[in-house]
Amino acid sequence: MLLDPAYRLYLITMILFIPLMIASVIASLRVNSVFNKYNQVPCSSGIDAQTYARNFLIHSGVSGIKFQAIGGALTDNFNPSTKTISLSDAVRRSSAVGAIGVACHECGHAVQHDKKYFFSSARLKLVPVVNLASTLMWPIYIIGFLLGFASPYTAIGRIFIIAGLVVMGLTLLFSLVTLPTEFDASRRAYNYLKTCLTAEEAKGVRKVLTAAAMTYVVSFMVTALQFLRLLALLLMGSNRNKR
């Protein structure tokens, strides 16, 4: 007996869920491992990461960007609303290859904002919508589960599945737009740094940036899988009603 296509899709998403969760953990551990490795490799110039970052901005014709310290590890970020680059203690004053790559990656986002890079601008516009969606996600799941979310064959279950699809769809869109934004920031950073560093140092920077990029790729895949799982549940309920 052939399985319903919607049910097959649901089974595939359930089978892939655990491997993707494992891949997510591995990607996270990998970026920390690679960063820690290359954060022990000193740059031959002896120049600290924040100075490289400032020079990158000057090279790119970007002004008005402030720098500030931030606690934690790999918490570095660029805030477009305040035009501020926050660099962690492990990065800011370090002259290691890993730190330089991270600092210049964040500068890549500042350059994107200044040049009005399409995906960066789109991502910024999606932030408040996705934040609201993320806030609503867990209440929707919990209430939906209690009132029939677990079953796609009830009316209330389908209502909450649709709500979940909308929330997950917005998150998926944000994750999709994030991919080219992060890859482009890394590309800008690497293209600048390969003119300043030795070939071996530039290779280390590339490894750090690639490892970081993979976390976004896996995150997108996990979100896409969750979206497909909800879609499969909705289709299963709809197919049953047609019989």
Side-chain angles (χ1 to χ4, degrees):
M1 180 180 177
L2 292 175
L3 292 175
D4 179 11
Y7 187 63
R8 285 205 304 270
L9 176 60
Y10 179 76
L11 285 179
I12 290 171
T13 62
M14 295 304 293
I15 291 169
L16 291 177
F17 181 75
I18 292 178
L20 272 182
M21 286 295 100
I22 294 173
S24 180
V25 172
I26 291 173
S28 181
L29 292 174
R30 167 85 177 153
V31 70
N32 280 281
S33 173
V34 173
F35 173 75
N36 289 334
K37 175 183 176 180
Y38 285 98
N39 217 32
Q40 303 299 318
V41 179
C43 176
S44 57
S45 69
I47 299 173
D48 64 70
Q50 185 164 301
T51 301
Y52 267 105
R54 289 186 186 278
N55 291 341
F56 177 26
L57 292 176
I58 293 171
H59 173 80
S60 303
V62 179
S63 59
I65 302 297
K66 296 175 290 186
F67 286 83
Q68 69 176 19
I70 188 173
L74 293 179
T75 50
D76 313 88
N77 66 87
F78 168 65
N79 187 334
S81 61
T82 60
K83 292 188 175 182
T84 301
I85 293 175
S86 300
L87 297 179
S88 60
D89 295 333
V91 168
R92 194 164 57 98
R93 295 303 179 193
S94 173
S95 59
V97 169
I100 292 168
V102 170
C104 287
H105 171 84
E106 297 308 328
C107 282
H109 288 305
V111 175
Q112 288 175 337
H113 182 68
D114 183 78
K115 307 301 182 186
K116 295 180 173 55
Y117 177 63
F118 174 78
F119 288 106
S120 176
S121 300
R123 184 173 183 266
L124 184 60
K125 291 176 182 177
L126 283 170
V127 168
V129 179
V130 173
N131 284 342
L132 176 61
S134 298
T135 302
L136 294 175
M137 184 178 297
W138 285 110
I140 287 175
Y141 280 157
I142 294 171
I143 295 171
F145 181 81
L146 294 175
L147 297 180
F149 185 91
S151 173
Y153 307 122
T154 63
I156 190 68
R158 285 191 293 277
I159 289 172
F160 277 95
I161 289 174
I162 292 172
L165 270 173
V166 171
V167 171
M168 192 59 69
L170 289 170
T171 306
L172 181 60
L173 177 61
F174 181 79
S175 185
L176 179 61
V177 171
T178 294
L179 285 178
T181 303
E182 294 297 331
F183 277 106
D184 180 75
S186 290
R187 178 187 63 81
R188 292 173 190 267
Y190 177 73
N191 285 344
Y192 170 71
L193 289 174
K194 71 181 181 181
T195 66
C196 309
L197 305 176
T198 67
E200 194 62 28
E201 290 167 350
K203 183 179 178 181
V205 165
R206 187 165 211 164
K207 287 183 178 179
V208 170
L209 296 177
T210 300
M214 286 309 299
T215 62
Y216 292 99
V217 173
V218 175
S219 176
F220 170 75
M221 292 173 67
V222 170
T223 304
L225 190 70
Q226 292 288 69
F227 179 82
L228 288 174
R229 185 178 69 84
L230 290 175
L231 179 62
L233 282 171
L234 184 64
L235 292 174
M236 284 163 59
S238 298
N239 291 344
R240 181 168 178 173
N241 286 344
K242 292 176 183 178
R243 293 171 185 169

